[in-house]
Amino acid sequence: MTQTTAKVTAVHKERYELIPCRDGLRPSAGANSAPLYGRLKTGIYMNGMEPYPTVGDIVDILFNPQGDSVIIKTHSRRSYFSRLDPDPGGHREQAVAANFDYVFIMQSLNQDFNLRRMERYLALVWQSGATPVIVLTKADLTENPSRQLGEIESAAMGVDTVLVSAVTGSGLDGLEKYLQPGKTCVFLGSSGVGKSSLLNALMGADVMTVKAIREDDAKGRHTTTHRQLAALPNGACVIDTPGMRELGFWGEEGDEGISGIFSDIETVLGGCRFSDCRHQSEPGCAVRAAIERGDVAQERWESYQKLKREALYAENKAAAMREKSERNQHIAVWSRQRKKEVW
Ligand code: GDP
Ligand code: ZN
């Protein structure tokens, strides 16, 4: 088997869709046609010697013309999004997209517009190593977006904002600057914001994979992975991610969103004898009692814990990010002042 490099275009449970790289980085032409499949070399990946590949990753493979190739190495990433591995017992960071240049933070101008969520997205993008672009969708549905634009201006100073309509095609030329050959853009936004429609408008034709993504979505978000990379006719690449939830943010307000949906569990939680109860074998544990009574299903308790962990992880990341940017601001102010004093 010959060794070569490839780019990961889709992640299934154990199988990776790949396209060969022409020059080690750029996918070769016809990236949307017949994919190559690869599986991880267990001896390398199970020992934690290499990070698990994700969409956008460049990997070394042992090419197998007869069947699945063998993935033996993940190249270092110039940018990535990650979350906490949602598998029980998994404590590791898990990348969900890699090697992108721009992230289109997408919100529609009608119901979906939410400034707080945009701030969360912005923090994530700055941390990822890529450049954010705010893309406001469904421009055809709004007469005057000046209120939203004003709010964005103050929340996201200096970030490019583009208004588009996938229906009329207005504003699409404003995205050309980012969608250059060899560049990769991530579409980030809630379901229904218009990610698939924008991708279709940019492709100039319906893409089969978009439909596949949507079907997977309905089936079960935790079992099937549906991150995919599509190549536009001009050679730019687009990665579609399902949204905040995938990145560990749950609901509109993160942690509070979990509480709203699991209010039954949160009520039980208050009843444990010890305030620092770990809900394992402590005496007087209200959670274990509720599970034994059948008031709370074991699986529901597990998914609550899982989402809680993910949300906490994402919150910590965002907080660390805010702290860092505040510190940098202080340093900038301090050095400006110092310059003034010196001169
Ligand atoms: P996704 O879940 O983010 O991929 O969103 P979709 O692309 O599936 O779009 C969700 C809904 O919004 C669909 O009914 C689309 O027809 C509609 N939609 C998407 N883009 C636009 C747009 O620019 N204008 C209008 N009026 N509707 C749009
Ligand atoms: Zn307890």
Side-chain angles (χ1 to χ4, degrees):
M1 290 198 272
T2 46
Q3 184 173 330
T4 176
T5 57
K7 186 164 179 156
V8 177
T9 57
V11 181
H12 305 290
K13 243 181 180 169
E14 278 152 16
R15 241 170 147 213
Y16 294 77
E17 261 176 61
L18 309 163
I19 43 172
C21 292
R22 212 189 312 130
D23 52 14
L25 279 178
R26 215 181 282 183
S28 49
N32 287 320
S33 57
L36 201 71
Y37 287 96
R39 286 174 190 272
L40 301 178
K41 170 109 179 142
T42 42
I44 291 173
Y45 282 90
M46 300 306 151
N47 295 335
M49 286 157 70
E50 287 288 324
Y52 283 81
T54 187
V55 155
D57 262 326
I58 306 293
V59 291
D60 284 345
I61 60 169
L62 298 174
F63 178 66
N64 176 8
Q66 254 88 51
D68 289 358
S69 296
V70 182
I71 301 173
I72 55 170
K73 183 185 166 61
T74 309
H75 287 216
S76 67
R77 299 159 176 152
R78 65 175 193 275
S79 62
Y80 68 97
F81 280 132
S82 67
R83 66 164 179 180
L84 191 66
D85 188 339
D87 284 340
H91 296 287
R92 281 186 309 177
E93 194 180 37
Q94 184 185 53
V96 295
N99 297 322
F100 41 87
D101 302 280
Y102 299 103
V103 178
F104 291 176
I105 299 176
M106 298 176 64
Q107 291 201 343
S108 72
L109 279 165
N110 49 346
Q111 332 91 331
D112 183 62
F113 189 77
N114 179 313
L115 212 56
R116 279 219 50 203
R117 193 179 333 120
M118 181 170 295
E119 285 167 352
R120 285 165 185 270
Y121 276 139
L122 273 170
L124 278 175
V125 177
W126 285 124
Q127 190 190 34
S128 74
T131 304
V133 179
I134 293 169
V135 175
L136 299 170
T137 60
K138 309 189 188 181
D140 56 293
L141 296 181
T142 319
E143 300 239 306
N144 181 8
S146 57
R147 178 184 64 83
Q148 290 97 323
L149 289 174
E151 287 178 5
I152 292 167
E153 181 66 30
S154 47
M157 246 197 301
V159 177
D160 289 357
T161 303
V162 185
L163 227 75
V164 300
S165 167
V167 168
T168 66
S170 75
L172 295 185
D173 50 345
L175 300 176
E176 272 167 24
K177 191 168 142 194
Y178 315 104
L179 297 163
Q180 291 293 312
K183 296 286 182 196
T184 300
C185 296
V186 170
F187 286 7
L188 204 58
S190 318
S191 164
V193 76
K195 296 185 293 294
S196 322
S197 305
L198 179 63
L199 182 57
N200 283 338
L202 293 168
M203 297 286 295
D206 266 42
V207 196
M208 289 291 290
T209 54
V210 175
K211 218 167 164 6
I213 292 168
R214 305 198 59 78
E215 280 160 8
D216 279 353
D217 229 3
K219 254 192 283 167
R221 291 159 196 267
H222 281 289
T223 50
T224 319
T225 332
H226 37 72
R227 303 162 218 124
Q228 303 224 14
L229 179 142
L232 297 182
N234 77 343
C237 290
V238 170
I239 297 177
D240 185 0
T241 69
M244 294 304 261
R245 184 175 162 164
E246 180 77 358
L247 296 173
F249 285 103
W250 220 90
E252 213 78 299
E253 304 300 323
D255 203 30
E256 293 147 46
I258 297 178
S259 305
I261 287 152
F262 288 98
S263 58
D264 55 334
I265 291 184
E266 302 246 314
T267 312
V268 171
L269 276 176
C272 296
R273 184 179 304 163
F274 302 108
S275 59
D276 60 349
C277 185
R278 286 174 19 252
H279 321 299
Q280 281 159 8
S281 52
E282 288 88 343
C285 175
V287 174
R288 298 251 57 98
I291 291 170
E292 270 154 38
R293 277 200 311 274
D295 288 354
V296 169
Q298 176 72 28
E299 303 84 72
R300 194 166 155 75
W301 167 242
E302 275 162 20
S303 49
Y304 169 81
Q305 285 178 301
K306 193 148 106 180
L307 289 168
K308 205 68 182 166
R309 282 201 316 143
E310 287 176 25
L312 186 68
Y313 175 76
E315 280 302 321
N316 288 343
K317 261 199 341 191
M321 185 61 204
R322 273 195 299 276
E323 219 169 78
K324 196 167 145 196
S325 81
E326 271 165 27
R327 201 166 54 233
N328 287 344
Q329 264 166 20
H330 287 149
I331 292 171
V333 169
W334 178 79
S335 56
R336 270 201 301 279
Q337 280 169 348
R338 240 181 88 89
K339 266 194 205 125
K340 270 196 214 130
E341 282 161 18
V342 170
W343 298 109

